[in-house]
Amino acid sequence: MPKPVELSNGQVFKSKKAAEQHFRDMLARYRDGDHISDYQHHSDLSALLERFDLLVSDRPSKIGAGIKHFERRLNKGDGWSSPGFWVVRVDDTPTDFSYVQAVAGRPKSDAEEFSVACHNAVSRELLGMKQRQFDHFAGPDGLIACDITGNLVAYSEAQLSHAHPPFGIIVKDFRKSKGWENSIPPGTLTASADAQISTHFADDAVAHEFLNFHHDRAVLRIIGKDRPPIGMSAVVAVNRPLRFR
């Protein structure tokens, strides 16, 4: 049975899924840059942030000196952006937090954080490769064929996917090559900090090392973001495998 999520302000959700939907709907009611003005919304977010500090974060408290207000802001990374909640403290210092992670009530494992850092190390190169594929192969309409379904897709509808090996295997093999199969050395990843949206390698040399490791192994393909699951439609052979070399 689903386990209820209980917040310190008395709000109770029958499941984590229901709690996530509550905060997703709340986020959708505001625009980027808006203060969270509704009293109940502020109360729910305050209680959710308490849950984050208690169950998720092993770093300095997100609440810090105290909560002044919450805002919706646009979080941005290499090639992506997504709206999220930010807290502004009474000393006017702001920081982001994940309502999804707060609802889940558990920190990411070292393996998950390491995989995120690996993805961040190659994200700019992946974006560049995607753009080059559209520059070279798209027709006059700007569309390119999905390598799984054969359907034509626009740049915004497409993503660069690992054909083989999967990205997770590349990450696992990199850890093995470094002798980090069982544990990741302290200080390898950036520590959590205010306004740090994502985890990176603390040493740029390690990031570059993974980029080269990935560069030598990855075979990629262009696929539509809304493609049917494999097995539910005819699979088109990859006729445009993309390699870095």
Side-chain angles (χ1 to χ4, degrees), residues 130 134 137-139 141-147 149-159 222-227 240:
K130 177 183 174 183
F134 273 85
F137 295 105
D141 53 6
L143 304 180
I144 199 171
C146 168
D147 281 322
T149 66
N151 296 332
L152 295 176
V153 293
Y155 184 92
S156 61
E157 302 166 336
Q159 61 184 3
I222 294 288
I223 62 174
K225 292 180 180 179
D226 58 350
R227 72 193 188 286
R240 191 181 55 245

Side-chain angles (χ1 to χ4, degrees), residues 48-200:
L48 185 68
L49 197 56
E50 287 182 29
R51 177 181 173 89
F52 187 98
D53 276 351
L54 179 65
L55 300 179
V56 177
S57 179
D58 59 354
R59 303 294 179 181
S61 166
K62 291 282 187 178
I63 292 176
I67 298 168
K68 184 177 182 180
H69 65 265
F70 293 94
E71 299 177 3
R72 169 176 156 148
R73 294 189 184 184
L74 191 64
N75 301 320
K76 295 181 179 180
D78 290 334
W80 64 269
S81 62
S82 64
F85 292 114
W86 282 60
V87 59
V88 177
R89 307 182 184 102
V90 293
D91 59 3
D92 288 326
T93 57
T95 192
D96 66 302
F97 71 99
S98 166
Y99 72 86
V100 174
Q101 203 173 355
V103 168
R106 71 169 183 86
K108 289 182 179 178
S109 67
D110 286 346
E112 289 173 319
E113 295 284 18
F114 189 88
S115 182
V116 170
C118 286
H119 185 270
N120 283 331
V122 299
S123 59
R124 286 184 181 274
E125 187 170 60
L126 293 178
L127 282 172
M129 176 167 277
K130 177 183 174 183
Q131 185 62 61
R132 288 193 296 274
Q133 290 304 301
F134 273 85
D135 290 343
H136 294 159
F137 295 105
D141 53 6
L143 304 180
I144 199 171
C146 168
D147 281 322
I148 291 180
T149 66
N151 296 332
L152 295 176
V153 293
Y155 184 92
S156 61
E157 302 166 336
Q159 61 184 3
L160 200 60
S161 170
H162 287 74
H164 63 83
F167 185 73
I169 296 299
I170 297 176
V171 172
K172 184 177 180 180
D173 287 346
F174 180 69
R175 285 186 60 174
K176 184 176 181 179
S177 75
K178 299 288 289 180
W180 297 347
E181 297 157 277
N182 297 323
S183 63
I184 300 165
T188 301
L189 306 177
T190 54
S192 178
D194 284 354
Q196 179 180 295
I197 306 299
S198 191
T199 302
H200 293 74

